Amino acid sequence: QVQMKETGPGLVQTTQTLSVTCTVSGFSLTSYGVHWVRQAPGKGLEWMGIIWGDGSTNYNSALKSRLSISRDTSKSQVFLTMNSLQTDDTAVYYCVNWELDYWGQGVMVTVSS
Amino acid sequence: DVVLTQTPPTLSATIGQSVSISCRSSQSLLHSNGNTYLHWLLQRPGQSPQLLIYLVSRLESGVPNRFSGSGSGTDFTLKISGVEAEDLGVYYCVQGTHAPLTFGSGTKLEIK
């Protein structure tokens, strides 16, 4: 059974760096990709990026300069790192499997000065 | 980037009523491999989104068959035949034909 779970800080200061971990089970990261999607409070869904099974990545062009997605296949973990945070980065951050049929519960991150 | 325009933004329905949501794309979603990567999600209040329909019309496992999807090219529709109370939430279309993945702005379904 596929499961995805995000863990991360609830609060981050402006200008600091966000790190969120997605731990997956039920499939291999070397076979399937994992997306990161975020949702600001009361807003819609925004695709952030993906790490593919071969380890390559693609990013939302609006976030590309601040965003990095990596993984540790031995731990079945995918990492999202985003720097220079601002208050409008406040959102729920989701990891999602490549086919969009398994979503984590999301982690709420508040960016505050 | 592909822009997906969903209408209406909000929808109010009674139990048992049939409703439709439209999703129009700024460009054709037919991939060169013959697939059309247009999917529908439902986000119930306080929950993560869940996949309802994939590849335009294929029902995700466990999703009730009152949900159906149709369309081609740039015009797509999600239909709920007989709304039930548990169907309330926000519906999103999402496309994966053209990078980057993009989402519609959502349609909020309210139950009268």
Side-chain angles (χ1 to χ4, degrees), chain A residues 35 37 39 43-47 59-61 94 98-106, chain B residues 1 37 39 41 43 47-51 54 60 92 94 96 100-105:
Chain A
H35 300 275
V37 175
Q39 185 173 37
K43 302 297 185 182
L45 301 167
E46 179 184 27
W47 180 79
Y59 299 114
N60 183 323
S61 58
Y94 297 101
W98 144 247
E99 293 182 312
L100 304 178
D101 53 348
Y102 291 97
W103 293 65
Q105 87 278 9
Chain B
D1 297 358
Y37 295 92
H39 322 301
L41 309 171
Q43 186 174 32
Q47 296 187 17
S48 303
Q50 66 172 102
L51 184 65
Y54 62 99
E60 175 69 0
Y92 295 95
V94 51
L101 197 77
T102 52
F103 297 90
S105 54

Side-chain angles (χ1 to χ4, degrees), chain B residues 29-111:
Chain B
L29 298 184
L30 177 62
H31 194 278
S32 57
N33 66 11
N35 288 327
T36 299
Y37 295 92
L38 186 284
H39 322 301
W40 291 94
L41 309 171
L42 165 61
Q43 186 174 32
R44 295 188 172 99
Q47 296 187 17
S48 303
Q50 66 172 102
L51 184 65
L52 295 177
I53 302 279
Y54 62 99
L55 297 175
V56 180
S57 60
R58 301 185 187 184
L59 201 63
E60 175 69 0
S61 176
V63 174
N65 60 13
R66 63 179 179 275
F67 292 93
S68 62
S70 62
S72 63
T74 60
D75 289 347
F76 303 92
T77 301
L78 174 70
K79 182 176 181 180
I80 310 174
S81 300
V83 167
E84 298 193 5
E86 66 180 17
D87 298 339
L88 74 91
V90 181
Y91 292 80
Y92 295 95
C93 54
V94 51
Q95 71 81 28
T97 297
H98 304 287
L101 197 77
T102 52
F103 297 90
S105 54
T107 294
K108 185 176 183 179
L109 175 61
E110 302 171 336
I111 307 297

Side-chain angles (χ1 to χ4, degrees), chain A residues 59-76:
Chain A
Y59 299 114
N60 183 323
S61 58
L63 302 172
K64 188 173 183 178
S65 64
R66 302 192 290 136
L67 182 62
S68 176
I69 300 174
S70 59
R71 69 185 185 181
D72 182 337
T73 57
S74 68
K75 295 182 178 180
S76 293

Side-chain angles (χ1 to χ4, degrees), chain A:
Chain A
Q1 180 183 358
V2 173
Q3 291 187 326
M4 310 188 68
K5 184 176 182 180
E6 307 89 347
T7 52
L11 181 65
V12 182
Q13 301 297 311
T14 53
T15 75
Q16 296 301 303
T17 297
L18 171 67
S19 296
V20 183
T21 298
C22 173
T23 303
V24 311
S25 59
F27 70 96
S28 171
L29 292 177
T30 59
S31 298
Y32 299 98
V34 172
H35 300 275
W36 285 98
V37 175
R38 70 178 180 176
Q39 185 173 37
K43 302 297 185 182
L45 301 167
E46 179 184 27
W47 180 79
M48 300 182 72
I50 185 171
I51 186 162
W52 299 95
D54 65 0
S56 62
T57 54
N58 292 105
Y59 299 114
N60 183 323
S61 58
L63 302 172
K64 188 173 183 178
S65 64
R66 302 192 290 136
L67 182 62
S68 176
I69 300 174
S70 59
R71 69 185 185 181
D72 182 337
T73 57
S74 68
K75 295 182 178 180
S76 293
Q77 291 181 326
V78 178
F79 308 107
L80 178 145
T81 304
M82 190 162 67
N83 58 33
S84 304
L85 290 183
Q86 298 301 319
T87 54
D88 60 2
D89 292 313
T90 293
V92 176
Y93 289 77
Y94 297 101
C95 59
V96 192
N97 78 316
W98 144 247
E99 293 182 312
L100 304 178
D101 53 348
Y102 291 97
W103 293 65
Q105 87 278 9
V107 59
M108 179 68 205
V109 176
T110 301
V111 182
S112 174
S113 57

